[in-house]
Amino acid sequence: MNFAVFASGNGSNLQAIIDAIKKKTIKANLKLVVSDHPKAYALVRAKRAKIATLIVEPKDYPDRVSFDREIIDQLKKKHVDFIVLAGFMRILSPIFIKAFKGKILNVHPALLPAFKGAHAIKDAFDCGVKVTGVTVHFVDEQVDHGAIICQQAVAIDKKDTPKILEKKIHHVEHIVYPKAIDLFARGKLKVIGRLVRIL
Ligand code: GRF
């Protein structure tokens, strides 16, 4: 199976994925790293690992549809079978979701359906919950909503600060996301409505 990673920023999850491929704990081919930010550090990580990159900036396209179509065309050219979102800070349009239905994965830094949105770690911390965590899920038309593949809890301790919590969350993401990607790539996930069974 061939896949692409979409990342807008630092790319620490991308790095965990690249490392897992090297260790053969992800048995799939990372064909392309897509970013909407030319300065994203994720692109440096991709180049270092000799993975092809694609930069797509919305400002270069007349509208949303042509932006999405360009990415879809590039993905088809590279024979990409599925997509892994790793800190991609853009909501995919319905055209995109339709083109890769059931084949887009995302990692979210909270236990969905709690703390949806772009500031999940801080929101959980500020809310005072004692447990938050990480969710890997399929992407559907709604934000942070698709069927949940796996979750892992992270305790918020008395001494934690938002920064410490962020570190703890990222550490867990780097373990669970590569595992989920490998399960999907090997056809080990069966989706029945909102339920995902690991075969
Ligand atoms: C991660 O916390 C992920 O859960 C969220 O965006 C962040 C990306 O971090 N969707 P990085 O760019 O992989 O370091």
Side-chain angles (χ1 to χ4, degrees), residues 42 105 123 137:
L105 278 65
D123 290 348
H137 64 97

Side-chain angles (χ1 to χ4, degrees), residues 160-171:
D160 285 351
T161 60
K163 221 50 253 128
I164 294 174
L165 179 60
E166 186 178 65
K167 266 196 169 174
K168 285 162 66 170
I169 297 266
H170 281 160
H171 176 71

Side-chain angles (χ1 to χ4, degrees), residues 9-14 86-87 89 106-109 121 169-170 173-174:
N10 176 28
S12 68
N13 279 283
L14 168 66
M89 301 312 282
N106 185 40
V107 65
H108 184 76
I121 300 175
I169 297 266
H170 281 160
E173 287 181 342
H174 301 161

Side-chain angles (χ1 to χ4, degrees), residues 3-7 11-18 20 25-26 82-88 103-108 134-139 149-152 169-185 189:
F3 70 107
V5 171
F6 285 30
S12 68
N13 279 283
L14 168 66
Q15 191 63 56
I17 292 164
I18 290 170
T25 50
I26 291 179
F82 71 99
I83 295 166
V84 167
L85 304 183
F88 190 63
K103 292 174 180 170
I104 309 175
L105 278 65
N106 185 40
V107 65
H108 184 76
V134 170
T135 302
V136 180
H137 64 97
F138 285 105
V139 173
I149 298 167
C150 64
Q151 293 186 299
Q152 188 163 320
I169 297 266
H170 281 160
H171 176 71
V172 171
E173 287 181 342
H174 301 161
I175 297 167
V176 300
Y177 207 17
K179 277 188 192 159
I181 293 164
D182 185 58
L183 286 171
F184 179 76
L189 301 180

Side-chain angles (χ1 to χ4, degrees), residues 8 34 44 56-57 62 66 90 155 160 164 185 199:
S8 301
V34 178
V44 175
V56 271
E57 287 188 272
S66 46
R90 203 163 282 283
D160 285 351
I164 294 174
L199 302 173

Side-chain angles (χ1 to χ4, degrees), residues 24-170:
K24 296 192 170 37
T25 50
I26 291 179
K27 287 169 247 4
N29 312 307
L30 176 48
K31 296 292 259 190
L32 189 65
V33 170
V34 178
S35 184
D36 55 340
H37 278 291
K39 290 199 173 133
Y41 191 64
L43 291 168
V44 175
R45 297 182 193 271
K47 282 183 187 139
R48 214 193 272 149
K50 299 192 169 44
I51 295 156
T53 57
L54 171 69
I55 301 166
V56 271
E57 287 188 272
K59 68 171 177 59
D60 297 335
Y61 298 85
D63 53 39
R64 186 61 200 263
V65 173
S66 46
F67 174 78
D68 281 7
R69 288 216 191 287
E70 168 69 13
I71 306 176
I72 294 168
D73 283 354
Q74 297 291 336
L75 295 175
K76 300 271 176 204
K77 269 188 202 152
K78 293 265 179 199
H79 306 287
V80 164
D81 300 301
F82 71 99
I83 295 166
V84 167
L85 304 183
F88 190 63
M89 301 312 282
R90 203 163 282 283
I91 294 166
L92 299 175
S93 74
I95 292 183
F96 213 102
I97 309 285
K98 207 171 154 207
F100 284 89
K101 202 169 169 46
K103 292 174 180 170
I104 309 175
L105 278 65
N106 185 40
V107 65
H108 184 76
L111 294 175
L112 290 173
F115 305 112
K116 294 180 178 185
H119 309 286
I121 300 175
K122 190 172 180 301
D123 290 348
F125 188 88
D126 290 347
C127 179
V129 292
K130 305 296 181 205
V131 177
T132 182
V134 170
T135 302
V136 180
H137 64 97
F138 285 105
V139 173
D140 65 9
E141 291 77 7
Q142 296 176 51
V143 177
D144 298 332
H145 173 268
I148 291 170
I149 298 167
C150 64
Q151 293 186 299
Q152 188 163 320
V154 173
I156 302 179
D157 302 320
K158 260 195 289 185
K159 284 188 210 141
D160 285 351
T161 60
K163 221 50 253 128
I164 294 174
L165 179 60
E166 186 178 65
K167 266 196 169 174
K168 285 162 66 170
I169 297 266
H170 281 160

